[in-house]
């Protein structure tokens, strides 16, 4: 089979492992010489020492487990090999005579043993497939390895990233039936210890932050993945609750901090780098000084910016971003105005003379998204347009392409999109012509792209290509002072006057708007249609059916008497309560409903002493 494939290019896929047949085809397409196959690229001296230092943790964790198997490996005439994710052999242990036998094909420490270098082999193929594999005799693409039997298993770190390969190899006549099981078992043990070690290192890293816990200066501790694992009291008091490990950039954006100083933190046990201690600045003056945001008057913003600090910070970032051609990733909840911000970046950028093309990746059927983005040539498929179709990528040439809901793009299209971003060329479906494009890409999502990358649903290389400048867009509940400005903007744009706005502004300001600006404008549009006499009922319905919010439905319903102008005389209790008291009252009612009227259980649910709970019941006549 091997001779027939090498000489004629014919392969019987039914008689050979799928992974091996796929690898043979890759090797043939890459013009790997099947008659050579000895190691060519070998690191020596300082280059090899540097490579081992780079993968110190892989060596430290794996080699002790290999050492435990050393007697079995020597007695059976095998060698154990540890390879990094680039394919370089970091360590070889085993019987001296077998190691010398391996030298005949340059299979030595420091050699690069990948499919591109030596053809199909357990190490290179496991690196490519990311799974354990056994390759024996002429299953190797290179004739030089036909006398060997090799079993390899990948090693992943605690995030699932492939960090190396463990391989057991031996001359073909010494092949052992349990080689693959043995090497897979050791690799699994290494992965478990890798996770345990990472947890211990993170604990040590957090311990380093304890002495800083009570300082007034905002301080965070970061791990090597730029995740915040500890925040001191000065930072925590700005948060409603500490969410555990979170993305550092997200924390900076959400709480409007800037980094003043960063210090590396080293392990006291082995001296390795554990992470960083970052000192932050939180004042708006510091943000203006260090990030130099620009006044909003210099920005063309096709909407209402409002007056909030949260959105002024966004405007400053927009102007900084606009001056470059870097790709941008906007993160924000649905309805926060991500496309409007993308248009603002375009209008203030070097691409403003070109088109702004928006694509909602979540609204296009998966089988149509390729033709929508890349276009197609005439006659590319049945039902195609007579003169073909120019895709969105080509339509945006010279301007900006806005990819909304980028997290919904199918995996196969992620590869194609990455290629366009790298090569700046588009090939329409059914055409061989490559069309050069000069575009700036702005992506947007309400999803956590970093989590999608971790789950394998979004390509890491595409994530970093798009995530050059992340921009966080705050939800409306974090910029409520902008609501009056947004209402005026809506009225001006739609040439409408809303009934009784002064009377309902309190309700509009207190509601949390889970649907953000989109929900606000939807409500305002309904208000503009109905009569003033129906206004109380509309608001009551809106705040009852909303997805959530600080202002409860009962509070809204109770406060509508003022709008109707028919409030009770005699000072009903609900009208004399402050907003905070009314909110507390509604929380107590909800707790009683959840516990079927049990006061003791409701007090426990609210974390309130029973005596206090009963006093509250009397206070609110419940």
């Amino acid at each position: 089979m091997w001779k027939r494939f090498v000489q004629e290019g014919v392969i019987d896929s039914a008689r050979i492992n799928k992974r091996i047949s796929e690898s043979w085809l890759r090797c043939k397409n890459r013009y790997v010489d099947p008659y050579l196959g000895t190691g060519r690229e070998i690191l020596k001296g300082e280059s090899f020492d540097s490579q081992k230092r780079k993968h110190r943790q892989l060596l430290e964790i794996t080699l002790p487990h290999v050492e435990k198997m050393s007697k079995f490996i020597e007695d059976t005439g095998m060698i154990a090999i540890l390879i990094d994710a680039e394919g370089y052999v970091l360590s070889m242990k085993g019987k001296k005579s077998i190691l010398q036998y391996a030298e005949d094909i340059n299979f030595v420490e420091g050699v690069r043993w990948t499919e591109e270098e030596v053809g199909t082999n357990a190490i290179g193929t496991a690196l490519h497939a990311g799974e354990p594999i056994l390759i024996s005799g002429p299953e190797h693409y290179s004739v030089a390895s036909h006398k060997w039997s090799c079993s390899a298993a990948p090693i992943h770190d605690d995030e699932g990233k492939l960090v190396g390969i463990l391989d057991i190899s031996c001359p073909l006549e010494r092949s052992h039936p349990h080689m693959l099981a043995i090497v897979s078992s050791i690799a699994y043990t290494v992965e478990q210890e890798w996770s345990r070690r990472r947890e211990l290192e993170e604990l040590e890293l957090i311990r380093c932050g304890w002495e800083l816990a009570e300082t007034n200066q905002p301080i965070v501790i970061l791990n090597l993945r730029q995740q915040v694992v500890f925040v001191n009291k000065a930072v925590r008091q700005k948060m409603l609750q500490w969410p555990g490990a979170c993305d550092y950039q997200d924390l900076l954006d959400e709480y409007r901090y800037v980094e003043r100083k960063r210090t590396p933190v080293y392990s006291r046990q082995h001296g390795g780098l554990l992470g960083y201690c970052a000192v932050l600045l939180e004042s708006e003056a510091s943000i203006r000084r260090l990030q130099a945001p620009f006044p909003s008057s210099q920005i063309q913003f096709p909407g209402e910016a409002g007056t909030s600090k949260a959105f002024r910070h966004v405007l400053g970032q927009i102007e900084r971003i606009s001056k470059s051609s870097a790709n941008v990733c906007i993160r924000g909840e649905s309805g926060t105005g991500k496309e409007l911000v993308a248009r603002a970046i375009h209008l203030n950028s070097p691409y403003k003379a070109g088109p702004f093309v928006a694509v909602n990746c979540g609204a296009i059927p998966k089988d149509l998204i390729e033709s929508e983005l890349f276009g197609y040539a005439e006659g590319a498929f049945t039902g195609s347009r007579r003169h073909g179709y120019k895709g969105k990528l080509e339509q945006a040439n010279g301007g900006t392409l806005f990819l909304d809901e980028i997290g919904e793009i199918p995996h196969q299209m992620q590869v194609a999109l990455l290629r366009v971003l790298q090569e700046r060329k588009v090939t329409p479906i059914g055409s061989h012509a490559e069309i050069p494009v000069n575009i700036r890409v702005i992506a947007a999502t309400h999803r956590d792209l970093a989590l999608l990358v971790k789950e394998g649903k979004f390509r890491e290389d595409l994530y970093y290509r798009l995530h050059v400048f992340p921009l966080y867009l705050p939800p409306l509940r974090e910029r409520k002072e902008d609501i009056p400005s947004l209402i005026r903007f809506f009225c001006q744009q739609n040439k409408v006057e809303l009934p009784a706005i002064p009377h309902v502004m309190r309700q509009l300001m207190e509601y949390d708007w889970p649907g953000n600006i989109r929900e606000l404008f939807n409500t305002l549009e309904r208000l503009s249609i109905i009569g003033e006499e129906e206004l109380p009922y509309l608001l009551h319905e809106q705040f009852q059916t909303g997805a959530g919010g600080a202002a409860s439905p009962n509070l809204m319903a109770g406060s509508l008497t003022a709008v109707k102008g028919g409030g009770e005389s005699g000072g009903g209790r609900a009208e004399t309560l402050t907003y905070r008291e009314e909110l507390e009252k509604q929380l107590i009612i909800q707790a009683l409903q959840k516990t079927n009227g049990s006061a003791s259980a409701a007090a426990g649910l609210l974390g309130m002493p029973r005596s206090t709970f009963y006093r509250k019941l009397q206070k609110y006549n419940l």
Side-chain angles (χ1 to χ4, degrees):
M1 286 179 65
W2 176 82
K3 283 181 181 176
R4 192 175 179 203
F5 178 74
V6 167
Q7 294 169 5
E8 304 172 28
V10 177
I11 189 167
D12 185 354
S13 299
R15 296 176 57 200
I16 191 169
N17 183 300
K18 182 185 176 186
R19 288 284 178 257
I20 295 170
S21 64
E22 289 172 345
S23 178
W24 281 9
L25 288 167
R26 282 196 300 273
C27 294
K28 194 171 188 69
N29 291 336
R30 291 169 181 166
Y31 304 102
V32 178
D33 190 340
Y35 297 105
L36 289 178
T38 56
R40 295 176 298 170
E41 184 183 340
I42 303 175
L43 298 178
K44 294 181 179 179
E46 175 55 30
S47 297
F48 183 46
D49 291 340
S50 174
Q51 193 74 4
K52 287 199 291 185
R53 283 195 298 271
K54 191 162 70 171
H55 299 284
R56 174 187 57 81
Q57 191 166 11
L58 177 65
L59 286 160
E60 284 181 358
I61 296 175
T62 310
L63 291 186
H65 294 283
V66 172
E67 202 62 43
K68 291 175 185 176
M69 299 289 296
S70 60
K71 190 172 188 312
F72 168 79
I73 289 168
E74 283 216 25
D75 291 347
T76 51
M78 299 178 182
I79 50 176
I81 305 111
L82 181 61
I83 305 94
D84 64 30
E86 299 169 71
Y88 288 103
V89 175
L90 301 177
S91 169
M92 295 181 77
K93 306 284 185 184
K95 198 167 185 177
K96 190 174 182 180
S97 59
I98 307 300
L99 290 169
Q100 290 173 341
Y101 184 52
E103 287 180 19
D104 294 342
I105 57 172
N106 279 344
F107 194 21
V108 293
E109 288 187 349
V111 70
R112 194 161 189 248
W113 207 258
T114 60
E115 286 186 345
E116 292 86 347
E117 294 291 322
V118 295
T120 303
N121 69 90
I123 294 167
T125 307
L127 273 173
H128 188 277
E131 60 187 43
I133 193 164
L134 164 65
I135 294 183
S136 192
E139 290 177 335
H140 290 90
Y141 187 73
S142 164
V143 70
S145 298
H146 281 192
K147 296 179 181 179
W148 287 85
S149 179
C150 309
S151 296
I155 298 171
H156 299 88
D157 66 10
D158 57 312
E159 288 190 308
K161 180 183 175 184
L162 193 148
V163 290
I165 297 288
L166 185 62
D167 174 89
I168 294 180
S169 296
C170 65
L172 191 56
E173 64 274 11
R174 291 178 177 269
S175 181
H176 192 284
H178 301 308
M179 277 172 58
L180 187 59
I182 292 168
V183 76
S184 297
S185 176
I186 298 173
Y188 176 76
T189 304
V190 170
E191 289 178 345
Q192 296 303 300
E193 183 166 334
W194 194 293
S195 295
R196 283 195 298 272
R197 177 176 286 206
R198 182 57 61 89
E199 288 170 4
L200 291 172
E201 287 182 345
E202 211 144 272
L203 283 172
E204 186 179 355
L205 184 58
I206 291 170
R207 256 185 232 114
C208 294
W210 285 352
E211 59 196 53
L212 306 168
E214 299 302 320
T215 58
N216 293 325
Q217 181 74 55
I219 289 173
V220 300
I221 303 293
L222 312 173
N223 62 21
L224 296 175
R225 298 190 296 278
Q226 297 300 296
Q227 290 177 316
V228 179
V229 297
F230 174 86
V231 298
N232 73 342
K233 184 178 179 181
V235 177
R236 197 179 297 114
Q237 65 189 7
K238 291 188 71 173
M239 301 176 165
L240 293 176
Q241 78 179 80
W242 164 236
C246 64
D247 183 76
Y248 180 47
Q249 189 60 48
D250 287 349
L251 182 141
L252 294 180
D253 290 343
E254 188 158 355
Y255 298 101
R256 297 191 290 284
Y257 281 119
V258 290
E259 183 178 289
R260 193 191 77 178
K261 179 183 176 185
R262 181 185 292 208
T263 307
V265 178
Y266 296 98
S267 171
R268 294 169 184 171
Q269 295 178 350
H270 53 73
L273 181 64
L274 296 175
Y276 303 92
C277 173
V279 180
L280 309 180
L281 289 173
E282 59 179 335
S283 70
E284 201 68 27
S286 299
I287 293 172
R288 283 196 294 274
R289 187 177 66 253
L290 294 181
Q291 288 193 335
F294 302 87
S296 59
S297 59
Q298 296 181 15
I299 299 175
Q300 285 190 63
F301 187 74
E304 175 55 51
T307 59
S308 67
K309 290 182 180 179
F311 205 75
R312 282 211 310 274
H313 177 65
V314 171
L315 292 176
Q317 288 187 304
I318 288 173
E319 186 148 0
R320 292 176 61 222
I321 294 166
S322 299
K323 293 184 180 296
S324 77
S325 59
N327 294 335
V328 182
C329 188
I330 304 171
R331 184 176 65 83
E333 297 176 8
S334 294
T336 49
K338 295 188 284 292
E339 183 172 342
L340 205 61
V341 169
R343 286 184 182 276
I345 294 170
H346 170 73
L347 288 172
N348 294 277
S349 76
Y351 294 90
K352 62 184 177 183
F356 177 88
V357 178
V359 181
N360 188 329
C361 301
I364 304 172
K366 291 183 179 180
D367 53 348
L368 296 180
I369 194 164
E370 183 178 10
S371 60
E372 188 68 21
L373 286 177
F374 289 83
Y376 52 82
E378 182 176 355
F381 49 82
T382 304
S384 60
R385 296 181 185 179
R386 185 176 175 186
H387 299 294
Y389 173 70
K390 186 187 288 188
K392 300 296 186 186
L393 285 159
E394 193 179 347
Q395 290 178 33
N397 192 20
T400 300
L401 178 67
F402 175 58
L403 297 173
D404 198 8
E405 300 303 345
I406 188 67
E408 309 301 324
I409 195 168
H411 200 272
Q412 66 272 19
M413 281 305 302
Q414 294 176 25
V415 180
L417 180 60
L418 176 66
R419 188 179 171 208
V420 172
L421 295 178
Q422 290 173 335
E423 300 179 7
R424 298 290 168 171
K425 292 178 181 177
V426 175
T427 305
I429 299 170
S431 171
H432 298 292
E434 290 186 328
I435 301 168
V437 290
N438 174 26
I439 56 174
R440 185 205 198 136
V441 175
I442 301 176
T445 181
H446 71 282
R447 305 180 69 180
D448 186 341
L449 285 186
L451 180 61
L452 293 182
V453 170
K454 189 174 180 180
E455 293 173 348
K457 296 176 182 176
F458 199 87
R459 288 182 64 95
E460 186 176 23
D461 43 10
L462 179 59
Y463 170 77
Y464 287 116
R465 180 68 66 169
L466 293 171
H467 210 255
V468 176
F469 200 115
L471 176 60
Y472 171 73
L473 205 51
L476 187 53
R477 62 183 172 274
E478 293 180 11
R479 44 178 297 215
K480 285 188 176 181
E481 57 267 52
D482 291 339
I483 288 177
S485 300
L486 290 167
I487 293 173
R488 282 194 297 273
F489 175 77
F490 175 86
C491 293
Q492 290 166 2
Q493 290 293 108
N494 295 278
K495 296 181 173 58
V496 296
E497 288 190 21
L498 298 178
I501 281 295
H503 302 292
V504 299
M505 184 61 74
R506 176 171 172 265
Q507 285 93 322
L508 297 177
M509 292 291 288
E510 288 175 352
Y511 183 55
D512 260 2
W513 301 105
N516 293 296
I517 299 171
R518 185 182 294 131
E519 184 186 2
L520 172 64
F521 283 1
N522 176 273
T523 302
L524 295 177
E525 187 170 1
R526 293 175 68 193
L527 286 173
S528 68
I529 297 170
I530 66 166
E532 187 169 347
E533 68 280 358
E534 295 181 49
L535 181 60
Y537 305 105
L538 170 63
L539 289 175
H540 179 49
E541 178 191 349
Q542 171 69 30
F543 299 132
Q544 274 191 323
T545 58
S552 71
N554 290 334
L555 168 59
M556 290 299 143
S559 59
L560 287 178
T561 54
V563 180
K564 295 171 74 173
E568 294 178 19
S569 59
R573 186 68 190 173
E575 290 187 317
T576 59
L577 294 180
T578 66
Y579 172 64
R580 189 179 295 277
E581 289 172 328
E582 184 62 60
L583 185 57
E584 185 180 60
K585 176 182 174 181
Q586 298 306 325
L587 287 173
I588 291 173
I589 291 172
Q590 290 167 14
L592 287 167
Q593 288 171 342
K594 288 178 182 176
T595 58
N596 295 319
S598 169
S600 299
L605 191 64
L606 294 173
M608 191 182 293
R610 276 200 300 176
S611 57
T612 304
F613 187 85
Y614 283 116
R615 281 202 305 274
K616 299 286 186 184
L617 292 180
Q618 284 186 323
K619 176 181 178 181
Y620 300 128
N621 293 325
L622 295 175

